[in-house]
Amino acid sequence: MILLNLLIRGLITGAIYSLTSMGIVLILSTTLVMNFAQGDMGMLLAYFAFFMLARQIPYPVVFVIVILIGILLGFLFEKYLMSRARKTSHLGMVMITLALTMIFEGFVGYTFSTMPLLFPKAISGDPLQIFGVIIDKHDLFTFIVSIIIVIVLFIILYKTKIGIAARSLAEDEFGARILGIPINSIYLFIWMAAFAIAGVSGILVAGRQTLEPHFMVVIQLKGFMAAVLGGMNSIIGSVLGGFLLGMIENLVSFYIPQIKDSFSLILIVLVLLFLPQGIFGKREVRRA
Amino acid sequence: MKKFIPYILLILVLFLPLILRETPSIIGYLNLVMIYGISAQGLNLLLGIGGQISLGHAAFMAIGGYTSAIFVVHYNFPFIIALIISIVVSAIFGLIVGFPSLRLKGFYLAIATMALGNVVGDVLRRMSITGGDQGFRNIPTFDLFGFELESYSSKFYLILFFFLLTYFISRNFIKSKSGKSLIAMRDSEVGALSVGVNISNAKLLAFILASVFAGLSGVLYAHDISYLHPSNFALPLSINLLAITIIGGLGTLWGPILASLFWIFLPLIIGSKLELLSSVIFGIVVILVVLFLPRGLSEIIFRIERNLKKVNGI
Amino acid sequence: MLKIEELYVSYGPVEAIHGISIEVKEKEIVSILGSNGAGKSTILKTISGILKPKKGVITLNNKVINDLDPSQIVKMGVTHIPEGRHIFPNLTIKENLILGGYFLKENEVKKQMDYVTTIFPILKERLNSKAGSLSGGEQQMLVIGRGLMSKPKLLLLDEPSLGLSPKLVSTIFETLKTLNQNESLPILLVEQNAKKALQISDRSYILVNGKIVLSGKSEDLIEKEEVKKLYLGR
């Protein structure tokens, strides 16, 4: 029974990791940019959400608005920053995402103070008990929403032309360009999608802990690790990697609490040394 | 004329404590500028020359600083011995983290170092010998064979010595065979961060130098400030150090110190009320540098050099 | 329909193409022959907008296309089938084909896919398997098929024979000839395999170090002593 509880809780934290790592891998596999701002974009959007909720705007409305703001920010980011940085250097693009975290954390700290804030849960009230497994209602909501987002993204990536084009870009940029695929629009779409996902995970995570400028930093690190587990170039891998990481983490911190802190590093080093393709990674050689 | 400029500058710097003796706190800030400058110089070798991103550079500072503090405070080691031990420990950590990353492409090092930073922070918080979450208090100042450096100006000369030392090491590294092969590899790669070209030793050397510089910088910080706390060496500092190297101009020798100067004095200039905004400004400067000034603040030095050549009638 | 006049192209400071003029008329197969590094692929990349010309004019049906980007050029009916296959190995064959017809409407995609799969039946059988699972020859068919998805009015083909067995090369070239005759599809072909290219093309240009040294009707060129010596290996 304890094991089942642990696994279920692992799935829920895993769902959050999956969302973040999916956003990261979506960007990485198509643009080759490691997006260090994925977590803090969620943080910024969660702050926006907090102040909308404080003005009595209903939760579902806020949820939608946050997604829309994420899409808008993704658009502006690609259109006015990344597309220009792409012409300078690859490292420059990565640095811009890091600069974004400095700007967001400074901005939020300055405007809303660095005091932790209590972020409302999507559904409050006593936890549910299903077959002896205790689940917080917000956690259940988190899990369901994450699954829905994963499914929606997969439908887009596998069933729409723009999604298939995005995947082709991840495989062979020249091949895509020569077919006349409008690469700049694809980049726009990818960043819009990634930042929308960031907003959702920001709200979901904020409801489980308190809101403060650094609250997404650890989640982002876990997102990276899930991406490593998933092989860094496969979106399916990143989602599975997230769930796996969530479950392993819950089991480890219960059964071997001594290594709880260094567990993340140990896991990363082990995977990097013995499974550099990740557990779910593709073997195909990608463009250098 | 141009030949003498560095010496004139050096003499000027040597007299700084005298010139600024009315405002010793500025000397205190300059000490910090050099301390972070040393750390950033290490990152500059790794990133600017080696082309590898580390997001755990501050953790190496913590490793150096805490090691020295522990040996001096708990085991009564003389400062110099503790310094040497700290440097060896930093080098070993650099080797441990750097070695696996040789085989790996792209961003694995960034993630591994980020995870390392997280773990180091957690471990330091939990141990009692480090003062845990209370921080490590009352670390004695530099003790050079019985002479305790108390004033900002006396510390200034010691830190300046180490700063110049790291400067010359970096210069030699860049001009060495290892440095040149790394630069060649960095420049030939369009896009991707690293490929499996067989220059592992050069890469490893860059990584160890980076860790040692960070460790040294941490030791200097510990005995200068006399207090350490894990949160001072968390991810934000690592990101700031990356920003410093970018703003200074990647792969340039003067970049780290110039940008470190900017980083330390920016919050002082804009005032305590807006201090949090300095991180916003710093981030914006990073973006501007990436987009418009690929050689960063070092561009200024290049311009001055060029003008001097003109003055000299070339 | 395609006219290139006095074209110069550089990679950074290095000039690769030094003032060439090439024309492809309606219904023609034109080939550009030359050894590795002569600049053949560069010409195609410049026509399709991947590279920008330094000097010179490229016109398609009397419209200047120098400054257009690849998507606009594809929309005008020019399809470039690159050398080295460049299929998307982890995408299914169907998905590869869909991307070839990126600018078509939903129902047209379906129609065009039926058309392409009748030309290359092997693709029809394996629509839902990953493109990476195809053999070399099949991948070449996929690349050509994918190029045909966009309903091209002009086909630019880069080294379709590269790395294929002689038998497969013959199949591919026959298919091209049939396409050209049945659909009146003009083709600009770049080849190292001079013999095959001369056999199927109407006219040819011979490129050496970024300059055209010889041009004319393919049936005349094939008889020329210097061509025989240098390119036909006898």
Side-chain angles (χ1 to χ4, degrees):
Chain A
M1 206 77 270
I2 291 174
L3 186 67
L4 190 62
N5 262 298
L6 286 173
L7 286 178
I8 300 273
R9 223 171 294 158
L11 277 180
I12 291 161
T13 23
I16 288 171
Y17 297 163
S18 293
L19 274 190
T20 306
S21 76
M22 190 167 71
I24 290 164
V25 171
L26 183 64
I27 298 285
L28 181 66
S29 62
T30 48
T31 67
L32 294 183
V33 171
M34 193 71 172
N35 175 20
F36 290 103
Q38 184 70 11
D40 273 353
M41 178 53 82
M43 181 276 294
L44 181 74
L45 291 172
Y47 267 91
F48 288 163
F50 181 86
F51 285 92
M52 283 189 272
L53 290 168
R55 299 238 152 117
Q56 309 299 327
I57 301 174
Y59 199 97
V61 178
V62 171
F63 201 92
V64 173
I65 294 179
V66 160
I67 292 179
L68 292 178
I69 300 178
I71 290 175
L72 177 69
L73 290 178
F75 177 84
L76 296 175
F77 183 63
E78 164 63 27
K79 182 98 182 161
Y80 294 103
L81 284 180
M82 281 325 230
S83 61
R84 286 176 198 195
R86 199 164 284 124
K87 290 175 195 138
T88 60
S89 73
H90 177 256
L91 181 67
M93 295 201 281
V94 179
M95 272 318 294
I96 285 184
T97 70
L98 279 168
L100 228 48
T101 69
M102 302 167 77
I103 294 172
F104 289 171
E105 286 178 22
F107 169 77
V108 166
Y110 176 73
T111 339
F112 307 125
S113 98
T114 51
M115 292 264 285
L117 301 168
L118 202 61
F119 194 92
K121 287 173 184 290
I123 311 167
S124 48
D126 293 333
L128 297 169
Q129 199 161 352
I130 308 163
F131 305 119
V133 178
I134 300 156
I135 306 175
D136 180 84
K137 282 179 186 159
H138 177 80
D139 282 354
L140 189 64
F141 176 75
T142 299
F143 183 75
I144 292 169
V145 169
S146 301
I147 297 291
I148 291 173
I149 301 263
V150 169
I151 292 172
V152 168
L153 192 73
F154 270 82
I155 290 174
I156 294 175
L157 285 176
Y158 284 84
K159 296 290 165 204
T160 70
K161 223 187 255 182
I162 196 162
I164 298 172
R167 282 163 54 226
S168 79
L169 207 53
E171 303 221 335
D172 190 337
E173 196 203 303
F174 176 77
R177 194 185 291 271
I178 214 151
L179 291 178
I181 291 170
I183 290 184
N184 294 338
S185 331
I186 309 286
Y187 284 144
L188 275 175
F189 158 74
I190 288 165
W191 280 102
M192 281 153 62
F195 282 175
I197 295 173
V200 173
S201 53
I203 298 181
L204 294 177
V205 177
R208 307 178 84 223
Q209 42 197 83
T210 53
L211 187 61
E212 47 101 17
H214 297 296
F215 88 101
M216 284 300 280
V217 171
V218 174
I219 302 289
Q220 160 139 326
L221 176 60
K222 297 293 163 60
F224 283 141
M225 289 173 48
V228 171
L229 282 179
M232 300 284 263
N233 60 357
S234 133
I235 307 234
I236 303 177
S238 72
V239 171
L240 295 177
F243 283 111
L244 187 68
L245 181 66
M247 288 192 287
I248 300 179
E249 200 177 70
N250 264 274
L251 293 177
V252 165
S253 56
F254 186 81
Y255 290 109
I256 356 175
Q258 301 89 326
I259 64 157
K260 198 177 137 204
D261 295 331
S262 20
F263 157 73
S264 56
L265 186 65
I266 296 170
L267 186 70
I268 269 200
V269 171
L270 287 181
V271 170
L272 292 187
L273 284 182
F274 300 111
L275 285 168
Q277 303 280 341
I279 296 175
F280 311 102
K282 297 175 209 164
R283 290 248 161 230
E284 273 82 7
V285 183
R286 289 158 32 79
R287 70 201 143 109
Chain B
M1 172 70 183
K2 194 196 151 203
K3 249 181 136 177
F4 297 111
I5 295 267
Y7 299 103
I8 296 169
L9 263 177
L10 183 63
I11 291 169
L12 206 68
V13 168
L14 284 173
F15 278 101
L16 260 183
L18 281 174
I19 299 166
L20 294 169
R21 64 179 177 277
E22 300 294 320
T23 49
S25 64
I26 293 193
I27 296 295
Y29 286 118
L30 287 177
N31 290 347
L32 281 178
V33 167
M34 289 188 288
I35 289 172
Y36 287 115
I38 291 172
S39 182
Q41 185 69 274
L43 197 56
N44 186 35
L45 294 182
L46 186 67
L47 178 67
I49 308 299
Q52 300 219 60
I53 293 188
S54 161
L55 274 168
H57 203 61
F60 287 99
M61 285 179 72
I63 289 168
Y66 271 95
T67 309
S68 178
I70 287 168
F71 277 99
V72 169
V73 172
H74 295 299
Y75 299 104
N76 290 319
F77 275 50
F79 164 69
I80 298 288
I81 307 291
L83 172 74
I84 294 168
I85 296 174
S86 311
I87 284 175
V88 173
V89 170
S90 313
I92 292 171
F93 269 87
L95 199 67
I96 294 172
V97 179
F99 198 66
S101 68
L102 291 179
R103 288 177 33 191
L104 303 164
K105 277 205 302 183
F107 294 100
Y108 290 104
L109 183 70
I111 297 174
T113 47
M114 197 175 171
L116 175 82
N118 218 33
V119 171
V120 167
D122 278 345
V123 170
L124 291 175
R125 270 201 184 80
R126 275 162 193 269
M127 293 202 321
S128 56
I129 199 169
T130 60
D133 213 8
Q134 300 295 309
F136 203 132
R137 289 162 199 275
N138 301 324
I139 303 165
T141 182
F142 306 103
D143 183 330
L144 292 177
F145 314 107
F147 291 99
E148 289 188 5
L149 307 183
E150 290 294 352
S151 67
Y152 282 134
S153 3
S154 56
K155 289 175 183 173
F156 177 85
Y157 290 109
L158 181 78
I159 297 171
L160 180 65
F161 166 76
F162 283 114
F163 171 72
L164 292 174
L165 186 68
T166 53
Y167 174 85
F168 285 110
I169 293 174
S170 311
R171 207 171 75 162
N172 283 333
F173 178 72
I174 291 177
K175 287 183 176 167
S176 73
K177 227 177 175 180
S178 301
K180 278 182 183 156
S181 62
L182 282 178
I183 292 172
M185 191 196 72
R186 182 198 66 190
D187 292 346
S188 68
E189 285 177 330
V190 186
L193 271 180
S194 61
V195 286
V197 182
N198 191 13
I199 47 164
S200 302
N201 288 339
K203 259 188 182 172
L204 202 56
L205 187 58
F207 205 94
I208 292 172
L209 276 180
S211 323
V212 166
F213 282 15
L216 170 65
S217 146
V219 173
L220 297 175
Y221 180 91
H223 297 279
D224 179 35
I225 303 290
S226 82
Y227 173 72
L228 295 173
H229 190 277
S231 65
N232 293 343
F233 302 101
L235 185 64
L237 179 59
S238 291
I239 294 179
N240 275 312
L241 288 167
L242 273 175
I244 288 173
T245 40
I246 296 277
I247 290 178
L250 271 183
T252 62
L253 278 167
W254 283 101
I257 191 75
L258 283 176
S260 170
L261 195 70
F262 175 61
W263 182 58
I264 293 284
F265 280 92
L266 178 67
L268 297 174
I269 292 165
I270 62 175
S272 59
K273 224 181 151 188
L274 297 174
E275 212 184 304
L276 274 166
L277 267 190
S278 73
S279 140
V280 176
I281 296 174
F282 209 54
I284 291 172
V285 173
V286 169
I287 294 179
L288 293 177
V289 165
V290 166
L291 293 182
F292 304 111
L293 212 64
R295 278 195 291 195
L297 292 181
S298 298
E299 186 71 33
I300 301 166
I301 303 263
F302 286 117
R303 294 249 164 100
I304 292 173
E305 272 183 6
R306 211 182 314 151
N307 287 341
L308 278 176
K309 275 180 195 156
K310 273 185 203 152
V311 171
N312 284 342
I314 300 169
Chain C
M1 67 179 303
L2 178 79
K3 212 168 189 175
I4 301 172
E5 284 162 293
E6 283 298 301
L7 180 73
Y8 290 82
V9 188
S10 318
Y11 285 104
V14 187
E15 195 179 86
I17 300 294
H18 320 288
I20 58 149
S21 300
I22 288 176
E23 197 183 354
V24 183
K25 299 190 192 112
E26 303 284 342
K27 301 178 189 177
E28 252 187 343
I29 298 186
V30 174
S31 64
I32 304 176
L33 310 173
S35 57
N36 229 343
K40 297 173 305 215
S41 298
T42 307
I43 299 173
L44 292 196
K45 283 182 191 164
T46 313
I47 300 171
S48 60
I50 301 274
L51 297 174
K52 294 280 165 247
K54 196 167 106 188
K55 239 167 79 183
V57 189
I58 307 173
T59 54
L60 187 71
N61 295 326
N62 300 321
K63 259 182 246 149
V64 179
I65 59 166
N66 281 18
D67 293 321
L68 301 184
D69 61 42
S71 336
Q72 290 168 305
I73 292 173
V74 170
K75 276 188 205 161
M76 291 179 75
V78 179
T79 293
H80 180 172
I81 296 172
E83 165 194 28
R85 311 227 171 96
H86 288 285
I87 56 154
F88 307 116
N90 284 310
L91 267 55
T92 63
I93 288 157
K94 192 174 171 186
E95 287 170 332
N96 269 276
L97 292 177
I98 289 174
L99 291 179
Y102 195 81
F103 296 108
L104 298 185
K105 292 196 188 76
E106 202 70 41
N107 53 339
E108 285 178 309
V109 173
K110 189 95 190 51
K111 243 191 255 165
Q112 198 67 6
M113 205 182 293
D114 288 341
Y115 164 70
V116 168
T117 47
T118 43
I119 301 176
F120 299 112
I122 182 78
L123 300 180
K124 188 165 202 156
E125 290 164 30
R126 311 191 42 190
L127 270 184
N128 290 314
S129 33
K130 285 192 175 179
S133 69
L134 295 176
S135 70
E138 291 163 347
Q139 289 189 7
Q140 187 60 56
M141 291 175 196
L142 174 59
V143 179
I144 296 175
R146 192 179 65 183
L148 294 175
M149 281 297 294
S150 63
K151 295 187 170 174
K153 298 192 186 82
L154 169 67
L155 207 56
L156 311 177
L157 250 165
D158 200 346
E159 303 265 6
S161 73
L162 199 74
L164 297 184
S165 69
K167 202 179 152 212
L168 269 170
V169 173
S170 301
T171 319
I172 299 268
F173 276 80
E174 270 161 38
T175 315
L176 292 177
K177 191 80 197 167
T178 323
L179 271 173
N180 171 256
Q181 280 166 352
N182 294 357
E183 319 282 330
S184 312
L185 178 65
I187 298 175
L188 178 59
L189 175 72
V190 151
E191 257 303 337
Q192 273 194 76
N193 188 336
K195 195 174 162 193
K196 281 277 174 205
L198 286 170
Q199 279 168 0
I200 78 159
S201 60
D202 302 299
R203 290 186 303 111
S204 292
Y205 296 85
I206 293 181
L207 193 69
V208 175
N209 292 331
K211 280 189 184 144
I212 286 167
V213 294
L214 210 59
S215 62
K217 285 196 167 171
S218 300
E219 51 192 54
D220 298 341
L221 285 177
I222 212 162
E223 296 302 326
K224 284 211 165 146
E225 278 308 313
E226 46 190 310
V227 175
K228 273 185 188 168
K229 219 191 264 166
L230 287 172
Y231 300 102
L232 303 175
R234 60 176 88 139

